[in-house]
């Protein structure tokens, strides 16, 4: 199948040529014709499936065909995303795919000055990629109006709900024209997402680009059991002995992120971080330097887990396991993208066994374990079984109490626990 056979117009095909996209990915071949036909869409698609082009290409084509003159402070298409980084990234994709089209696109998000955004909106914009909070701020101040809105995209809808944007999303829905095309992309479909989909989508086409809740197959995943206090040493040891190149490392807390970065910097290893406490500009700088290869280790909280598209990332390390099992899938989705193979290694301590079990339940697979010589844990990580459950240690049979009873009875009592043990 080719992009031309999906009915895309020449300026888009030329851009795809420049980007060297030869064949549509499965989500693109399903989504593009449906969106071109004006259908609403509900897509189970993770990042790495090519979903951004899957919605951006047909959207731009429809906007071009409609040739609506955008009024000042108005917008024709709105893409809502959970994080600032993703807003920038999706916006860059629109720019790349639309390089031969006269469409105006813009990204708006919080954490940066609002005035330049207000100025930019004055002329009217064809496509805005936005995080919900800042968009609503601008809407309340009349800097952006939705009367002309034709297309709404909810990208990473599950993540938006996880991050607590439900109320903001409702406020945006209430402000939009009822007659519009709506496209919803989500890696997972919880009850909350399904309910939202039922409310905002009209007769949607459902597509599933990759099986729900399964981790990418091309990613080799394994666990190294280790004591909590030795995790940082183990990480430095692996980095050295296995000659790792660039690594994206996930740590549970912001404080933990900074501690690891400091430890690495003290060892003259180039490292930077992204987490919610950092100003947006610093977050973007860290990400850009990592993407450019100037920084070897990027340490992040789950803020960075979704959506970020980092080319050819060979390795993701879970320094801590995520609290929400689904985040595991998003984290390791940063590697093994677009057919490349990747590795995802989790450093797991005894405290985290329940989190490990939850991940194994979700992915329906037991993660192989490999201890690292010199780092074998004192506190053993209990075994988990294929169903992702922690295997309880068999209770030691109680020693039978032997009373001063006739020899025959005492033998009988002593035999009982052993028989029970066998029956277990
Ligand atoms: P996404 O899932 O939208 O984040 O895209 C993942 C990566 O795949 C991005 O780096 C895209 O540039 C790339 N990509 C998307 N579609 C194609 C395609 N048809 N051929 C080659 N690369 C693609």
């Amino acid at each position: 199948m080719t992009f031309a056979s999906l009915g895309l117009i020449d300026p888009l095909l030329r851009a795809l040529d420049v980007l060297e996209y030869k064949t549509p990915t499965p989500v693109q071949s399903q989504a593009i014709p449906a969106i071109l036909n004006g259908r609403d869409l509900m897509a189970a698609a993770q990042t790495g499936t090519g979903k951004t082009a899957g919605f951006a290409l047909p959207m731009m084509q429809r906007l071009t065909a409609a040739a609506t003159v955008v009024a000042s402070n108005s917008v024709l298409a709105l893409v809502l995303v959970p994080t600032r980084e993703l807003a920038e990234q999706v916006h860059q994709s629109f720019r790349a795919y639309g390089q031969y089209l006269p469409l105006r696109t813009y990204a708006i998000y919080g954490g940066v000055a609002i005035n330049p955004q207000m100025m930019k909106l004055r002329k009217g914009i064809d496509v805005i990629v936005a995080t919900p909070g800042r968009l609503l701020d601008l809407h309340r101040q009349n800097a952006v109006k939705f009367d002309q809105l034709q297309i709404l995209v909810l990208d990473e809808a599950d993540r938006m709900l996880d991050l607590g944007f439900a109320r903001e999303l409702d406020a945006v829905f209430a402000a939009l024209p009822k007659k519009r095309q709506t496209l919803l992309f989500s890696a997972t479909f919880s009850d909350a997402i399904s309910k939202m989909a039922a409310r905002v989508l009209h007769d949607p086409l459902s597509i599933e680009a990759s099986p729900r809740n399964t981790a990418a197959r091309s990613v080799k995943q394994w666990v190294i059991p280790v004591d909590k206090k030795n995790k940082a040493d183990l990480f430095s040891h692996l980095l050295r002995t296995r000659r790792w190149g660039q690594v994206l490392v996930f740590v549970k807390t912001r404080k933990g992120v900074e501690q690891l970065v400091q430890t690495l910097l003290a060892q003259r290893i180039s490292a930077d971080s992204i987490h919610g406490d950092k100003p947006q500009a610093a977050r973007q700088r860290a990400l850009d330097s990592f993407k450019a290869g100037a920084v070897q280790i990027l340490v992040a909280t789950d803020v960075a887990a979704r959506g970020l598209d980092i080319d050819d990332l060979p390795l993701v390390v879970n320094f801590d396991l995520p609290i929400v099992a689904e985040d595991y899938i998003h984290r390791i989705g940063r590697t093994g993208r677009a057919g490349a193979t990747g590795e995802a290694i989790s450093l797991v301590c005894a405290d985290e066994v329940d989190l490990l079990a939850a991940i194994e339940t979700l992915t329906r697979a037991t993660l192989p374990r490999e201890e690292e010589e010199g780092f074998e844990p004192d506190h053993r990580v209990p075994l988990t079984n294929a169903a992702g459950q922690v295997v309880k240690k068999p209770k030691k049979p109680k020693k039978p109490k032997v009373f001063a009873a006739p020899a025959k009875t005492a033998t009988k009592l002593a035999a009982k626990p052993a028989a029970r043990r066998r029956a277990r």
Side-chain angles (χ1 to χ4, degrees):
M1 188 181 291
T2 60
F3 281 105
S5 71
L6 295 178
L8 291 177
I9 51 176
D10 192 54
L12 291 172
L13 295 176
R14 269 164 51 214
L16 292 174
D17 231 24
V18 171
L19 296 167
E20 298 185 350
Y21 289 14
K22 303 264 181 302
T23 35
T25 65
V27 70
Q28 289 162 1
S29 49
Q30 295 173 77
I32 292 172
I35 299 173
L36 286 177
N37 278 330
R39 284 287 299 264
D40 277 8
L41 193 73
M42 176 158 123
Q46 314 178 13
T47 43
T49 54
K51 69 183 164 74
T52 317
F55 60 77
L57 293 166
M59 274 171 75
M60 287 193 285
Q61 178 152 336
R62 278 177 70 76
L63 294 176
T64 306
T68 313
V69 179
V70 197
S72 58
N73 292 103
S74 289
V75 53
L76 302 183
L78 177 61
V79 182
L80 290 177
V81 296
T83 64
R84 304 153 184 181
E85 283 83 4
L86 194 57
E88 270 303 337
Q89 186 179 298
V90 170
H91 176 230
Q92 291 310 326
S93 300
F94 269 94
R95 290 188 56 164
Y97 304 141
Q99 58 188 289
Y100 298 114
L101 290 173
L103 298 174
R104 276 202 294 266
T105 62
Y106 190 45
I108 54 182
Y109 43 81
V112 294
I114 199 165
N115 277 352
Q117 297 181 343
M118 291 179 136
M119 301 283 285
K120 184 85 185 186
L121 287 166
R122 275 196 196 147
K123 276 196 196 147
I125 304 281
D126 294 277
V127 181
I128 287 180
V129 184
T131 52
R134 177 56 63 92
L135 179 77
L136 278 174
D137 266 1
L138 287 160
H139 180 249
R140 283 189 206 106
Q141 301 186 47
N142 281 327
V144 59
K145 297 178 194 153
F146 299 129
D147 325 15
Q148 283 190 304
L149 189 117
Q150 297 164 18
I151 309 172
L152 168 69
V153 181
L154 301 165
D155 192 14
E156 313 236 339
D158 47 354
R159 187 62 171 168
M160 288 198 272
L161 292 189
D162 288 350
L163 291 176
F165 284 134
R167 222 186 286 158
E168 277 92 345
L169 288 177
D170 281 343
V172 175
F173 299 150
L176 299 182
K178 291 274 164 299
K179 192 171 167 303
R180 58 164 199 257
Q181 184 175 20
T182 308
L183 317 170
L184 183 147
F185 290 80
S186 194
T188 51
F189 275 84
S190 61
D191 283 354
I193 291 287
S194 304
K195 273 189 197 139
M196 186 169 87
R199 265 195 313 136
V200 300
L201 299 174
H202 173 69
D203 183 26
L205 177 75
S206 286
I207 63 173
E208 191 158 356
S210 49
R212 238 168 73 187
N213 298 347
T214 51
R217 290 256 165 71
S218 52
V219 181
K220 185 183 164 213
Q221 306 161 56
W222 47 288
V223 162
I224 307 183
V226 61
D227 283 336
K228 195 190 259 172
K229 63 175 191 305
N230 293 334
K231 279 190 178 187
D233 285 345
L234 172 60
F235 181 79
S236 309
H237 163 84
L238 294 168
L239 189 64
R240 254 193 338 270
T241 54
R242 309 210 172 182
R243 297 171 191 283
W244 282 347
Q246 281 198 297
V247 192
L248 177 61
V249 188
F250 286 101
V251 174
K252 191 165 58 185
T253 62
R254 296 164 187 187
K255 196 168 148 216
V257 167
E258 284 310 326
Q259 273 169 355
L260 182 60
V261 169
Q262 292 314 320
T263 308
L264 294 172
L265 291 176
Q267 297 171 23
R268 300 185 178 281
I269 297 162
S270 72
D272 208 338
S273 63
I274 39 177
H275 56 71
D277 273 350
K278 269 191 136 173
Q280 177 55 25
R283 276 161 68 165
Q284 192 66 43
R285 235 184 354 256
L287 183 63
D288 290 344
S289 333
F290 185 67
K291 280 186 175 184
V295 162
Q296 188 187 356
I297 314 289
L298 185 64
V299 190
T301 53
D302 279 301
V303 154
R306 297 220 188 168
L308 297 185
D309 178 31
I310 302 168
D311 278 346
D312 301 329
L313 190 59
L315 179 60
V316 166
V317 170
N318 293 311
F319 191 89
D320 299 313
L321 287 182
I323 304 290
V324 180
E326 278 163 5
D327 280 339
Y328 176 82
I329 293 170
H330 299 297
R331 287 179 178 191
I332 72 165
R334 308 306 91 225
T335 181
R337 313 191 81 180
T341 52
E343 223 175 329
I345 303 173
S346 303
L347 313 187
V348 178
C349 65
D351 288 359
E352 293 174 303
V353 68
D354 289 332
L355 304 178
L356 178 64
I359 290 165
E360 293 180 335
T361 307
L362 184 73
T363 57
R364 292 187 288 270
T366 310
L367 292 170
R369 300 179 181 203
E370 254 174 62
E371 288 191 349
E372 182 70 18
E373 215 184 312
F375 290 89
E376 297 85 353
D378 291 334
H379 303 282
R380 307 210 65 81
V381 182
L383 287 179
T384 45
N385 65 19
Q389 290 153 341
V390 179
V391 180
K392 296 263 184 316
K393 268 198 200 147
K395 277 189 193 141
K396 277 195 189 148
K398 277 186 193 153
K399 277 208 179 126
K401 283 181 185 156
V402 182
F403 302 102
K408 219 170 122 197
T409 323
T411 321
K412 237 194 219 167
L413 276 172
K416 247 189 180 174
R420 247 190 248 135
R421 221 178 327 165
R422 271 199 301 277
R424 226 177 241 146

